[in-house]
Amino acid sequence: MTDDSTPTTRKTGTTRGTSATRRTVLTGVAGVLATAGVVGAQETTTEDGQTTAGEETTEGEQTTTERVETVRFQVRVLNVSEPDALTPEGGESGPVILSPGAYTVHSPDVQLFAPRESASAGLEALAEDGDPSGLGEEIAGANGVFASGTFDAPVAGGDPGPIGPGAGYGFEVEAAPGDRLSFATMFVPSNDLFFAPGPSGIELFREGEPVAGGVTAQVGLWDAGTEQNEEPGSGPNQAPRQSGPDTGPEEDAPVRPIGEVDDGYEYPSVSESIQVLVVPEGGTAG
């Protein structure tokens, strides 16, 4: 899905380019699938009544996909940062904050974002302002997306919104062998950084068995490339301190891992900031 939107006049700088070949993804409708249990592989039925198993028939015909043999997973996105994880020069130390986010269960050929290409408008809004709603709208109904939603409420209770150390978000998904999980949540003390798995997502099954336990090693810290970086935890154009959404000097750069960004700043490691767990129904986190 390309981003043909016109940059807001509140930004300063150059207009970001877009790519007609960018593979779209992440999420959409708030909520989760409520279907339960374990039932089959994947079958696809074309309009002329032909049925295939495991792969879709796409020879110019509209297809419908009946998903069977699914497993329900609980997903937890936890803030494990220390209260003084960020120590900006001339500023007060502080923790990493995570924003509400978006998620999807999808086929392997669907991507949340494309590294080294421009971010979509929805990803920009999440990475700059912690707003997952636009990202949700972009993915709703997309081919290869089996479930999607947004998360904003702490699992231990409290008002919806960003979370600090010791708190976590949670949601449920249904998935079948071959499915992937993707999500994104803003690294709030930044201009446009976000945590997410690689663009192909996290495998929820290995050798046909559901994954159980920590999957944080598959999560990275990414720069959306839409706003010029300031020192984390102190920049005047970062979400906690900016005058309003979508403000700050614009940056005409692609999405890339923070390790490829030469901005002169230091960032805490992913494992010191966030922990992600997946637990299949009837299983444990290991």
Side-chain angles (χ1 to χ4, degrees), residues 33-52:
L33 294 181
T35 50
V38 173
V39 275
Q42 187 170 298
E43 293 185 349
T44 301
T45 304
T46 66
E47 286 187 328
D48 61 5
Q50 293 181 341
T51 299
T52 61

Side-chain angles (χ1 to χ4, degrees), residues 25-35 42 67 70-73 75 102-107 110 135-136 139-150 171-176 179-183 204:
V25 289
L26 198 79
T27 67
V29 186
V32 294
L33 294 181
T35 50
Q42 187 170 298
R67 308 199 58 247
T70 58
V71 174
R72 177 182 295 171
F73 290 84
V75 183
Y103 68 87
T104 181
V105 173
H106 57 87
S107 63
V110 172
L135 201 51
I139 197 58
N143 290 333
V145 171
F146 306 128
S148 64
T150 57
F171 54 91
E172 289 186 1
V173 297
E174 298 269 341
D179 291 354
R180 307 293 181 95
L181 170 70
S182 288
F183 71 90
L204 290 172

Side-chain angles (χ1 to χ4, degrees), residues 221-232:
L221 181 59
W222 300 81
D223 189 325
T226 58
E227 186 173 304
Q228 293 179 21
N229 290 344
E230 299 166 329
E231 186 175 14

Side-chain angles (χ1 to χ4, degrees), residues 29 79 84:
V29 186
N79 188 329
D84 59 352

Side-chain angles (χ1 to χ4, degrees), residues 11 86 88 92 95 127-130 186-193 227-249 263 265-267:
K11 287 274 194 174
L86 303 176
E92 296 183 1
E128 290 188 13
D129 303 313
M186 182 187 180
F187 177 90
V188 173
S190 74
N191 296 81
D192 62 346
L193 271 57
E227 186 173 304
Q228 293 179 21
N229 290 344
E230 299 166 329
E231 186 175 14
S234 64
N237 294 304
Q238 295 170 356
R241 288 165 293 279
Q242 64 186 1
S243 59
D246 199 28
T247 56
D263 60 9
Y265 302 126
E266 294 185 3
Y267 298 90

Side-chain angles (χ1 to χ4, degrees), residues 45-65:
T45 304
T46 66
E47 286 187 328
D48 61 5
Q50 293 181 341
T51 299
T52 61
E55 296 182 356
E56 290 191 6
T57 301
T58 58
E59 299 176 348
E61 299 169 329
Q62 182 179 356
T63 63
T64 58
T65 302

